């Protein structure tokens, strides 16, 4: 049996160390730990990597601490437009949604796009019609409300500014969420879900739902979920780049992930991080920001739930 392993993230735009109180730290770590253990239990009970990444991401979407599902950031119109993607590495099947509103767990809808449609990526009104056809009920705006997100929006509402999860103003809590896993058959999968960035408009879509940019999985190489300044991750095709370095240059997971985040993304001027797993269950979690909410657990006995570089 292949070793099993899972890694999760709750965004690379953490609270700066000075602003992190011990109560907040406990709350973040508890939420991460719950998602991690939920995903790991799924693998441990024989579930697939896709099952594991979906349940882990659902758990993070249900927490208001992270910028996905409940607690998603506000758009310029005061709504929430969410993006999500899921991919499995055996057949390289993928599903993604973008600009969806009122959906409690966008990652579940992305999985339905993968399994129940002929398509890979559905956006906006069409994605909503698809959800309706499948019987999804919509949550009211109040379900997604979070006081701090609202305050962040008020600060830039009515301006052309937007608040990226990983901008210079790092005293804010943010956090796209993601999970990567390797199951007992050596299949890998990745899932990513986000509310994008505060005050976004014009149908802005980040890297998270884009296959190859913020999310990718291939059994030959690895599964990757990214978090960071989405525009740079799109231009750097970051998740696929990690896979390419492994496939074409023979890099290890650790070397490929680190090269992409520390050198290639940095050259473009982007900031953020990623989590990645290969088909042997190895895990890498590099980032070039002050911290990244993250955790991992493997059947080889590794377990971590971390925020900063410690
Ligand atoms: N990558 C996400 C986006 O640009 C943001 C994040 O990672 O927090 O939409």
């Amino acid at each position: 049996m292949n070793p099993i392993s899972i890694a999760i993230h709750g965004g690379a735009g953490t609270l700066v160390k000075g602003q992190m109180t011990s109560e907040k730290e406990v709350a973040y770590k508890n939420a991460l730990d719950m998602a991690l253990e939920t995903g790991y239990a799924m693998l441990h009970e024989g579930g697939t990597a896709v099952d594991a990444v979906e349940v882990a991401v659902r758990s993070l979407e249900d927490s208001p601490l992270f910028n996905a599902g409940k607690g998603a950031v506000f758009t310029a119109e005061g709504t929430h437009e969410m993006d999500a993607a899921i991919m499995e590495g055996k057949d390289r099947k993928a599903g993604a949604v973008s600009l969806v509103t009122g959906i409690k767990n966008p990652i579940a809808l992305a999985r339905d796009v993968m399994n129940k449609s002929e398509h890979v990526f559905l956006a906006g009104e069409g994605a909503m019609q698809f959800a309706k056809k499948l019987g999804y009920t919509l949550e009211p705006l109040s379900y997604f409300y979070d006081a701090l997100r609202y305050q962040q929006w008020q600060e830039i509402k009515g301006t052309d500014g937007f608040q990226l999860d990983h901008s210079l103003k790092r005293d804010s809590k943010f956090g796209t969420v993601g999970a990567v896993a390797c199951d007992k058959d050596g299949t890998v999968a990745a899932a990513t879900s986000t509310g994008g960035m505060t005050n976004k408009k014009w149908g802005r879509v980040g890297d998270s739902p884009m296959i190859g940019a913020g999310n990718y999985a291939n059994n030959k190489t690895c599964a990757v979920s990214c978090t960071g300044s989405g525009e740079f991750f799109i231009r750097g095709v970051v998740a696929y780049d990690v896979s390419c370095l492994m496939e074409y240059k023979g890099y290890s997971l650790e070397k490929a992930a680190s090269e992409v985040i520390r050198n290639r993304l940095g050259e473009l001027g982007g900031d953020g991080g990623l989590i990645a797993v290969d088909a042997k269950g190895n895990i890498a979690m590099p980032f070039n920001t002050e911290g990244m909410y993250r955790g991992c657990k493997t059947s080889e006995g590794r377990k971590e739930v971390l925020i900063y570089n410690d």
Side-chain angles (χ1 to χ4, degrees), residues 103 109 112 116 127-138:
I103 304 286
L109 187 59
D112 278 337
K116 299 179 183 165
M128 296 305 294
Q129 282 170 19
F130 177 71
K132 207 171 154 193
K133 188 176 151 239
L134 293 182
Y136 277 72
T137 53
L138 299 188

Side-chain angles (χ1 to χ4, degrees), residues 67 164-166 175-176 194 196 204 206-208 226-231:
N67 173 20
L164 203 54
D165 280 14
H166 313 279
T176 288
T194 188
R204 182 265 182 187
D207 60 312
S208 309
C226 300
T227 169
S229 43
E231 280 68 11

Side-chain angles (χ1 to χ4, degrees), residues 15 28 145-153 171-173:
L15 289 168
Y28 278 106
Y145 180 85
D146 176 74
L148 195 62
R149 300 268 183 253
Y150 187 75
Q151 182 200 318
Q152 286 163 350
W153 177 48
D171 58 342
S172 306
K173 61 163 188 154

Side-chain angles (χ1 to χ4, degrees), residues 105-128:
N105 293 110
I107 199 64
L109 187 59
R111 189 173 182 182
D112 278 337
V113 172
M114 174 168 85
N115 290 335
K116 299 179 183 165
S117 86
E118 298 300 309
H119 308 295
V120 168
F121 200 161
L122 301 180
E125 194 43 46
M128 296 305 294

Side-chain angles (χ1 to χ4, degrees), residues 29-282:
K29 285 189 169 170
N30 282 346
L32 290 168
D33 194 56
M34 204 204 316
L36 189 61
E37 290 296 343
T38 308
Y40 188 83
M42 180 64 84
L43 292 172
H44 191 64
E45 287 154 18
T48 65
V50 172
D51 291 332
V53 294
E54 186 193 347
V55 292
V57 165
R58 284 173 85 116
S59 169
L60 294 164
E61 285 176 336
D62 292 344
S63 165
L65 293 173
F66 307 104
N67 173 20
K70 190 180 182 67
V73 297
F74 284 85
T75 66
E77 281 78 41
T79 59
H80 310 277
E81 292 178 346
M82 297 168 288
D83 305 332
I86 193 162
M87 183 163 185
E88 69 90 40
K90 186 166 170 247
D91 301 319
R92 276 180 282 156
K93 286 195 301 182
V97 292
S98 179
L99 305 171
V100 296
T101 53
I103 304 286
K104 185 170 184 259
N105 293 110
I107 199 64
L109 187 59
R111 189 173 182 182
D112 278 337
V113 172
M114 174 168 85
N115 290 335
K116 299 179 183 165
S117 86
E118 298 300 309
H119 308 295
V120 168
F121 200 161
L122 301 180
E125 194 43 46
M128 296 305 294
Q129 282 170 19
F130 177 71
K132 207 171 154 193
K133 188 176 151 239
L134 293 182
Y136 277 72
T137 53
L138 299 188
E139 299 296 332
L141 206 55
S142 58
Y143 170 79
F144 299 92
Y145 180 85
D146 176 74
L148 195 62
R149 300 268 183 253
Y150 187 75
Q151 182 200 318
Q152 286 163 350
W153 177 48
Q154 294 304 305
E155 284 167 18
I156 48 174
K157 186 180 166 186
T159 71
D160 272 345
F162 52 82
Q163 176 75 55
L164 203 54
D165 280 14
H166 313 279
S167 66
L168 292 175
K169 189 170 173 261
R170 291 177 188 203
D171 58 342
S172 306
K173 61 163 188 154
F174 294 104
T176 288
V177 307
V180 293
C182 174
D183 64 28
K184 62 176 189 340
D185 300 322
T187 282
V188 297
T192 308
S193 181
T194 188
M197 53 196 200
T198 299
N199 212 37
K200 66 180 181 178
K201 53 187 172 188
W202 303 319
R204 182 265 182 187
V205 178
D207 60 312
S208 309
M210 290 186 194
I211 302 305
N215 200 77
Y216 187 70
N218 183 345
N219 277 8
K220 276 203 279 184
T221 53
C222 59
V224 181
S225 171
C226 300
T227 169
S229 43
E231 280 68 11
F232 295 92
F233 280 70
I234 294 171
R235 288 163 54 203
V237 203
V238 165
Y240 186 58
D241 205 18
V242 176
S243 172
C244 286
L245 286 174
M246 293 177 71
E247 186 170 2
Y248 304 132
K249 281 198 156 186
Y251 281 18
S252 68
L253 180 80
E254 184 67 43
K255 190 173 172 197
S258 168
E259 163 70 18
V260 169
I261 291 299
R262 297 190 209 292
N263 298 331
R264 298 182 180 222
L265 181 68
E267 273 163 28
L268 283 178
D271 57 1
L274 61 81
I275 53 171
V277 64
D278 67 17
K280 292 190 197 88
N282 296 307

